[in-house]
């Protein structure tokens, strides 16, 4: 089932004129001057591409700058320009560009006003997604999971609310989180930058956002594809994954004092997608403090950020937050915090049957021939020593160890009880005192 919404439903429409921009005229003029100055542009079509606006809107801004004696026409350029009029900065224009750069180094794509961005977030809200069992199964087909896990996971993902996955380490909580992301499958539009109170906040981040294939109009087609506002980038739904390195400061606006611009925090970059807090309880801040920071966003679907001036403002919070921890929730949260996490899902280790399925799948993938006698030895002699506690990571660990031993000994890939002994010895640290 294809869940991708057509661009006519979800795409931000391109501005038709200056009135659609909802940005201060001085700000638009200055960004255009800075862009021409920094990129040495003189054709309106080139400038329009650089500032990500339609040509007619760009021309309107050029005309304003001309009327203020900041730009001047240079006449029709050579044949390569298609007979297009060229423009250059006057001395006053260069002075204004340098003054504007001293105030903010930002140039290029015109930012999207915060209020306009809110409208787009609503159009592509993660809470509009309907995830089916088939989609989840397809996205997680490479995982061997307990049958009832999807029963709990599916409704949680479909609600687009917060999820806490807990249980012993090494049982695929991170892989399940990635599977949820893959199940979504559709596209969203991420602004290159947004504007609030005259300040520019960059949002699009190629490290976080996976750009979708460009949609280009086909001039030979009878029905041309509808274009969208190119101040946005069409992307896969974003996924931000943080672990033990997460700090509260990483959830605040990042101010660059040199460029005098802001960068969106991680949760704003994750808008319309998933924010995964892995290894909860391993961060510098206590888990309770991290959850307290998320209370307003989780309950009210809005976050509160602050500028350097101290002014606070609201931004949309439209993100599926997945907390993953190896601790029992009662050890790291109070009951008030747990109430604010909508779904709590325990991810246990596999049964013996599922352990064997995983072992067989990994062995086939890594080209290790299975040996029944060795498997029986593993189950009857080794696992009782750890109370028959199975984990999803163990098949990969043991098989990789066996393959490394075979390579070292110069023998064909094979399973034998003595090789299992050697692999097993590397899976656990011996509980013994070290003589100093």
């Amino acid at each position: 089932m294809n869940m991708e919404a057509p661009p006519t439903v979800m795409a931000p429409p391109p501005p038709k004129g200056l009135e659609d921009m909802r940005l201060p005229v001085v700000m638009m003029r200055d960004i255009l001057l800075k862009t021409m100055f920094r990129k040495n542009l003189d054709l309106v079509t080139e400038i329009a591409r650089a500032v990500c606006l339609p040509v007619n809107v760009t021309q309107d801004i050029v005309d304003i700058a001309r009327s203020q004696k900041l730009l001047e026409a240079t006449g029709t350029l050579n044949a390569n320009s298609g007979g297009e009029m060229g423009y250059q900065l006057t001395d006053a224009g260069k002075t204004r560009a340098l003054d504007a750069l001293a105030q903010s180094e930002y140039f290029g794509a015109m930012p999207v006003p915060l209020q306009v961005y809110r409208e787009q977030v609503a159009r592509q809200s993660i809470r509009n997604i309907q995830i089916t069992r088939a989609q989840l199964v397809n996205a997680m087909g490479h995982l061997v999971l307990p049958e009832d896990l999807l029963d709990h996971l599916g409704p949680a993902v479909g609600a687009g609310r917060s999820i806490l996955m807990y249980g012993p380490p090494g049982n695929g909580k991170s892989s399940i989180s990635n599977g949820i992301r893959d199940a979504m499958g559709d596209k969203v539009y991420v602004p290159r930058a947004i504007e609030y109170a005259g300040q520019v906040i960059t949002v699009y981040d190629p490290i976080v956002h996976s750009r979708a294939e460009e949609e280009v109009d086909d001039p030979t087609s009878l029905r041309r594809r509808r274009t969208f506002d190119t101040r946005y980038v069409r992307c896969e739904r974003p996924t931000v994954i943080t672990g033990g390195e997460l700090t509260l400061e990483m959830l605040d606006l990042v101010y660059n004092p040199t460029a005098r611009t802001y960068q969106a925090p991680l949760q704003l970059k994750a808008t319309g997608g998933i924010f995964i807090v892995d290894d909860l309880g391993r961060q510098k801040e206590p888990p309770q403090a991290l959850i307290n920071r998320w209370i307003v966003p989780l309950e009210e679907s809005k976050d509160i950020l602050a500028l350097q001036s101290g002014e606070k403002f609201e931004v949309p919070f439209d993100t599926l937050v997945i907390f993953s921890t190896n601790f029992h929730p009662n050890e790291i949260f109070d009951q008030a915090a747990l109430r604010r996490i909508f779904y709590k899902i325990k991810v246990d280790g596999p049964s013996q049957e599922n352990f064997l399925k995983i072992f067989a799948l990994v062995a086939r993938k890594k080209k290790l021939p299975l040996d029944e006698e060795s498997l029986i030895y593993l189950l009857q002699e080794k696992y009782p020593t750890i109370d028959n506690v199975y984990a999803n990571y163990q098949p990969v660990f043991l098989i990789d160890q066996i393959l490394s031993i075979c390579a070292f000994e110069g023998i064909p890939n094979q399973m034998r009880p003595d090789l299992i002994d050697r692999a097993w010895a590397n899976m656990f640290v011996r509980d013994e005192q070290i003589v100093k």
Side-chain angles (χ1 to χ4, degrees):
M1 181 177 178
N2 182 10
M3 297 298 294
E4 182 176 346
T8 52
V9 172
M10 197 167 135
K16 296 177 181 177
L18 284 182
E19 66 279 357
D20 289 345
M21 294 295 294
R22 292 158 70 176
L23 286 171
V25 171
V26 171
M27 182 182 205
M28 292 189 288
R29 180 205 67 192
D30 284 353
I31 289 177
L32 181 136
L33 294 175
K34 289 189 287 184
T35 303
M36 291 181 67
F37 182 80
R38 283 288 191 225
K39 304 190 82 168
N40 194 27
L41 303 176
D42 51 17
L43 298 179
V44 172
T45 52
E46 293 176 341
I47 300 166
R49 195 174 301 115
V51 298
C52 300
L53 292 180
V55 171
N56 66 300
V57 180
T58 306
Q59 184 69 59
D60 288 343
I61 305 173
V62 167
D63 290 343
I64 290 171
R66 279 188 74 191
S67 70
Q68 297 173 354
K69 304 289 193 283
L70 301 173
L71 289 180
E72 61 186 3
T74 59
T76 303
L77 299 181
N78 57 45
N80 292 334
S81 70
E84 189 178 343
M85 180 72 73
Y87 297 91
Q88 66 183 18
L89 275 69
T90 62
D91 288 343
K94 291 175 183 175
T95 300
R96 179 59 213 159
L98 288 168
D99 287 345
L101 284 165
Q103 295 172 25
S104 168
E105 274 283 341
Y106 183 84
F107 65 92
M110 288 288 172
V112 177
L114 177 57
Q115 185 53 46
V116 176
Y117 176 51
R118 286 192 183 105
E119 297 166 6
Q120 180 58 30
V121 170
R123 279 194 285 265
Q124 61 193 27
S125 173
I126 196 166
R127 294 183 177 89
N128 296 340
I129 291 180
Q130 294 298 315
I131 295 289
T132 65
R133 181 181 292 272
Q135 285 172 287
L136 270 182
V137 169
N138 185 56
M140 300 186 187
H142 61 295
L143 302 175
V144 177
L145 301 173
E147 290 183 8
D148 63 344
L149 182 59
L150 292 184
D151 296 343
H152 300 294
L153 201 58
V157 175
R161 309 303 287 266
S162 52
I163 300 172
L164 172 64
M165 290 194 293
Y166 65 98
N171 284 312
K173 292 186 289 296
S174 300
S175 298
I176 292 169
S177 299
N178 293 331
I180 292 171
R181 173 199 60 196
D182 296 340
M184 291 180 172
D186 62 347
K187 310 293 186 291
V188 293
Y189 294 84
V190 178
R192 300 172 195 271
I194 59 176
E195 175 270 342
Y196 173 75
Q199 301 297 317
V200 177
I201 303 166
T202 59
V203 179
Y204 173 71
D205 182 344
I207 296 175
V208 170
H209 301 110
S210 299
R211 190 171 190 145
E213 186 177 347
E214 294 283 357
E215 288 184 348
V216 180
D217 284 344
D218 180 0
T220 65
S221 174
L222 292 176
R223 180 168 182 157
R224 301 181 75 194
R225 292 183 183 179
R226 176 175 173 148
T227 57
F228 61 88
D229 187 343
T230 54
R231 290 178 296 168
Y232 294 82
V233 181
R234 188 169 182 261
C235 299
E236 308 290 339
R237 286 193 179 267
T239 301
V240 172
I241 303 175
T242 65
E245 78 283 0
L246 179 64
T247 63
L248 289 173
E249 289 76 18
M250 293 167 68
L251 305 178
D252 295 331
L253 280 175
V254 179
Y255 181 69
N256 184 327
T258 304
R260 293 182 174 84
T261 58
Y262 293 88
Q263 185 179 114
L266 294 174
Q267 72 276 18
L268 188 54
K269 292 180 181 180
T271 299
I274 303 176
F275 192 111
I276 299 171
V277 182
D278 209 356
D279 286 330
L280 188 64
R282 307 290 183 192
Q283 290 77 15
K284 181 174 70 174
E285 278 92 359
Q288 188 72 44
L290 288 171
I291 289 293
N292 288 345
R293 171 61 179 82
W294 293 92
I295 285 176
V296 169
L298 291 175
E299 292 192 340
E300 302 183 20
S301 298
K302 64 183 181 183
D303 197 7
I304 299 173
L305 302 177
L307 299 173
Q308 281 288 105
S309 63
E311 180 181 356
K312 295 184 178 180
F313 62 103
E314 293 179 1
V315 294
F317 186 85
D318 188 71
T319 306
L320 172 63
V321 182
I322 300 177
F323 300 101
S324 174
T325 182
N326 300 332
F327 296 95
H328 192 282
N330 290 336
E331 295 177 14
I332 55 178
F333 299 125
D334 61 23
Q335 290 304 307
L338 284 175
R339 280 199 307 273
R340 290 178 166 91
I341 301 175
F342 287 84
Y343 296 91
K344 296 90 170 171
I345 299 175
K346 189 176 184 186
V347 181
D348 278 320
S351 63
Q352 186 183 90
E353 179 185 359
N354 281 345
F355 171 84
L356 289 172
K357 286 182 183 177
I358 298 169
F359 201 101
L361 286 171
V362 175
R364 187 184 312 122
K365 181 179 179 181
K366 293 181 176 286
K367 296 181 171 53
L368 176 69
L370 291 175
D371 176 69
E372 184 177 355
E373 178 187 352
S374 299
L375 280 173
I376 292 172
Y377 176 77
L378 177 64
L379 297 179
Q380 294 185 352
E381 299 297 329
K382 291 301 180 183
Y383 272 94
T385 66
I386 58 168
D387 298 324
N388 293 313
V389 175
Y390 300 96
N392 285 334
Y393 80 92
Q394 292 164 350
V396 175
F397 185 95
L398 291 169
I399 288 170
D400 282 346
Q401 289 282 334
I402 291 171
L403 292 173
S404 295
I405 295 167
C406 290
F408 175 72
E409 300 293 355
I411 59 177
N413 291 345
Q414 58 191 281
M415 283 182 67
R416 298 196 317 241
D418 63 307
L419 298 181
I420 286 176
D421 283 338
R422 291 171 66 177
W424 185 270
N426 284 327
M427 196 157 65
F428 303 101
V429 176
R430 295 177 185 174
D431 187 14
E432 59 187 29
Q433 294 296 319
I434 298 175
V435 178
K436 296 180 180 179

